[in-house]
Amino acid sequence: MARFFLGLDSSTQSLSAVVIDLDSRKVVYDKSLNFDETLPQFKTRHGVLPNRDPLVKHSTPLLWLAALDRLFAQMKKDGVALGKILAISGSAQQHGSVYLNDTAEATLAGLNPKKSLEQNLEGVFARKTSPIWMDSSTAKECAEIRKKLGGIKYTASRTGSDAFERFTGPQIRKFYKTQPDAYARTAHIALVSSFLASVLAGKIAPIDFGDGAGMNLMDIRRKIWNHDALRSTAPGLVTKLPALTDSGRVIGPVSNYFVKKYGVNAAALATVWTGDNPASVVGLGLIKPGQVAISLGTSDTFFGTMEKCQTDENGEGHVFGSPAGGYMTLICFKNGSLAREKIREQYKIADWKTFGDLVEQAPPGNNGGILLPWFEAEIVPRVNQPGLHRFNLDANDVAANCRAVFEAQMLSMRLHSQWMQVAPEKILVTGGAASNRSLLQVLANVMNCRVEQIEVSKSAALGAALQAAHGWFAASDKEMKWDKLVAGFTAPVTGSEIRPDRKITKIYDAMLNKYAAREYEAVSVTV
Ligand code: XUL
């Protein structure tokens, strides 16, 4: 008998489902539903509610609920064997928070399949909207929390990260300061991941060590709530937070709502969800310490696995729990493809292939030309004021500017990932720009490492399905090692491996300090 597991991923812009068959080692179903397109009544743009303040980015939990109903209905329609699913897990955009009142527990326990999730749950919110990871309106609260915790280094070494605007703790503090009555009416604070896990399980779900580490509230080494951080954030917080636990741990049987309405197996287990980045780490098969991947997406992210917890003294990188045990690191560069797209638009370059050809026309190192491409406020390095900075670079030289934007991004990655002290044998690269071999060659040369493109259309949802399987085995007292579990599922390599050209790497070795000096100069001006 085939063993099926369902993984869901609620990202900023869409909800995805992946079903795996553990016995044939195949993804048997894979579907995404775009929020703006399929649920236009919520009036989101790219999954975000419009707001006059450009720093404020919220979404609404009702949208995520409506999407969940839609996707289950779609799976039923598509003939997915929901009656054979053994366990369900999920992942979600990190840091976003959901505020529930004291009716939530009873309502979750008695979801009525004759109504929609929206109708069932519309009365359980103590706050109508949810701040999400794109929000950067809490600089003041970050400064307050950081000060109370003893500065950047101590905030990072205790909670895994310095205080960041998008992290949940600063967001909770802002809510408490600006809407104290609504904060007082909040009985439970959930992350997007634990909120959706609560709906699937029909009870308040724990927060896992992966997503919990993105809150500035969890003691990263002991994996328990850090009481100094809770006190520095808002009063009475300890009573509003759920327990912390392993990703994928079984919460209980799936809520009857899904059994009655969509025909989900009544014995299916609902498990603890995690953040999209921790789920992607297992979806990409990064389970051995030292394995590294770069995702060239809307934002560029650099992540890898670590056995022991090591935090960034400068507070730029993050440490989260990995669903496979141990830790993962993440550095998030906000101006990823966003900056590359802007350059492409500005110079009216037809497509990415032409962009790659132009990169190759300019010499490696650009004769010392440097471009700092901060079209948006940047996370790493911290830049609050967007701005473009050109050094020894002619703005009219199209090829030089194409090369410069990507060289700067890669030099920044090399510079700001040094604290991890990992010397990977090979870097796996995913995301839209990963199919451009001219860019991958620059990456290999700057990082002085072999690189390989991998195909990961749904790494987070796949990771979530694997996490469901892991939780199911653990609950049945059968051990399933992570390396055995991921074998066969991790994404196929596309294209051959790209090796660094040592002569060119030397150019970048020499350029790194010059780049760092320019960056330092520009950051001092803009921050
Ligand atoms: C990570 C982060 C983003 C979101 C995207 O810290 O903020 O990658 O998780 O969904």
Side-chain angles (χ1 to χ4, degrees), residues 177-249:
K177 279 168 55 185
T178 54
Q179 297 180 58
D181 295 342
Y183 176 77
R185 279 197 306 277
T186 303
H188 309 277
I189 298 178
L191 292 179
V192 184
S193 59
S194 71
F195 169 63
L196 293 171
S198 305
V199 175
L200 263 306
K203 55 164 97 149
I204 301 286
I207 286 177
D208 83 301
F209 303 136
D211 225 8
M215 300 173 81
N216 284 136
L217 296 175
M218 186 182 99
D219 180 320
I220 191 69
R221 290 185 175 77
R222 295 162 70 207
K223 297 185 174 170
I224 53 175
W225 295 120
N226 179 301
H227 286 274
D228 284 344
L230 299 192
R231 272 193 295 272
S232 309
T233 300
L237 192 47
V238 70
T239 61
K240 302 180 198 286
L241 293 170
L244 285 162
T245 191
D246 286 312
S247 329
R249 174 170 290 217

Side-chain angles (χ1 to χ4, degrees), residues 40-307:
Q41 66 272 33
F42 290 97
K43 300 191 168 57
T44 51
R45 236 183 95 70
H46 302 297
V48 185
L49 293 170
N51 196 297
R52 254 178 281 135
D53 184 344
L55 298 181
V56 172
K57 307 275 183 204
H58 283 213
S59 186
T60 161
L62 290 177
L63 163 68
W64 303 323
L65 292 176
L68 206 55
D69 263 333
R70 279 287 185 107
L71 194 57
F72 269 96
Q74 186 68 44
M75 285 193 275
K76 191 174 172 188
K77 194 166 150 220
D78 290 342
V80 175
L82 290 172
K84 292 190 180 154
I85 299 282
L86 296 179
I88 303 174
S89 197
S91 64
Q93 53 172 312
Q94 296 200 248
H95 319 295
S97 41
V98 181
Y99 300 77
L100 303 168
N101 62 30
D102 60 8
T103 67
E105 245 176 317
T107 313
L108 283 167
L111 294 175
N112 177 355
K114 296 211 173 81
K115 295 183 184 169
S116 67
L117 286 174
E118 260 183 278
Q119 287 164 340
N120 270 292
L121 290 161
E122 63 189 352
V124 306
F125 301 102
R127 188 183 193 182
K128 284 220 154 16
T129 61
S130 290
I132 63 160
W133 70 279
M134 296 170 89
D135 189 288
S136 35
S137 67
T138 61
K140 217 167 152 220
E141 288 73 20
C142 287
E144 290 162 357
I145 292 171
R146 183 185 298 125
K147 193 169 166 211
K148 286 194 191 153
L149 289 180
I152 294 180
K153 188 174 159 189
Y154 287 105
T155 307
S157 70
R158 286 180 188 198
T159 72
S161 301
D162 180 26
F164 275 87
E165 282 82 347
R166 68 192 193 286
F167 275 44
T168 327
Q171 292 290 344
I172 294 173
R173 181 162 179 78
K174 182 180 166 199
F175 180 51
Y176 151 70
K177 279 168 55 185
T178 54
Q179 297 180 58
D181 295 342
Y183 176 77
R185 279 197 306 277
T186 303
H188 309 277
I189 298 178
L191 292 179
V192 184
S193 59
S194 71
F195 169 63
L196 293 171
S198 305
V199 175
L200 263 306
K203 55 164 97 149
I204 301 286
I207 286 177
D208 83 301
F209 303 136
D211 225 8
M215 300 173 81
N216 284 136
L217 296 175
M218 186 182 99
D219 180 320
I220 191 69
R221 290 185 175 77
R222 295 162 70 207
K223 297 185 174 170
I224 53 175
W225 295 120
N226 179 301
H227 286 274
D228 284 344
L230 299 192
R231 272 193 295 272
S232 309
T233 300
L237 192 47
V238 70
T239 61
K240 302 180 198 286
L241 293 170
L244 285 162
T245 191
D246 286 312
S247 329
R249 174 170 290 217
V250 169
I251 308 168
V254 69
S255 159
N256 215 21
Y257 177 89
F258 297 92
V259 177
K260 288 263 153 44
K261 195 161 186 159
Y262 301 112
V264 173
N265 174 13
L269 300 174
T271 76
V272 174
W273 287 33
T274 189
D276 53 3
N277 293 298
S280 280
V281 157
V282 288
L284 291 170
L286 304 182
I287 47 169
K288 287 204 196 102
Q291 288 182 316
V292 166
I294 291 175
S295 162
L296 301 173
T298 310
S299 57
D300 287 343
T301 47
F302 181 104
F303 48 88
T305 51
M306 284 193 304
E307 202 168 342

Side-chain angles (χ1 to χ4, degrees), residues 336-448:
S337 74
L338 188 108
R340 296 186 286 275
E341 271 159 29
K342 283 273 183 304
I343 292 286
R344 200 185 123 186
E345 261 167 43
Q346 281 181 5
Y347 291 100
K348 300 193 172 48
I349 299 164
D351 49 38
W352 289 113
K353 160 87 181 64
T354 314
F355 185 93
D357 293 347
L358 284 161
V359 168
E360 287 193 17
Q361 279 170 30
N366 246 335
N367 300 315
I370 289 177
L371 168 64
L372 301 179
W374 301 323
F375 288 89
E376 288 250 345
E378 181 51 78
I379 296 173
V380 178
R382 262 172 208 269
V383 180
N384 297 336
Q385 289 300 317
L388 279 199
H389 306 265
R390 285 190 175 83
F391 303 92
N392 305 323
L393 187 69
D394 177 359
N396 297 315
D397 186 338
V398 183
N401 279 271
C402 291
R403 177 173 277 279
V405 65
F406 197 64
E407 275 186 350
Q409 292 180 324
M410 294 304 105
L411 285 163
S412 173
M413 237 181 222
R414 176 166 161 184
L415 182 69
H416 297 284
S417 60
Q418 279 171 341
W419 64 274
M420 290 184 195
Q421 295 179 337
V422 283
E425 276 172 29
K426 183 162 65 184
I427 297 175
L428 304 177
V429 190
T430 78
S435 53
N436 192 315
R437 295 185 70 81
S438 313
L439 296 187
L440 286 194
Q441 186 64 63
V442 175
L443 194 161
N445 291 340
V446 174
M447 293 292 184
N448 190 17

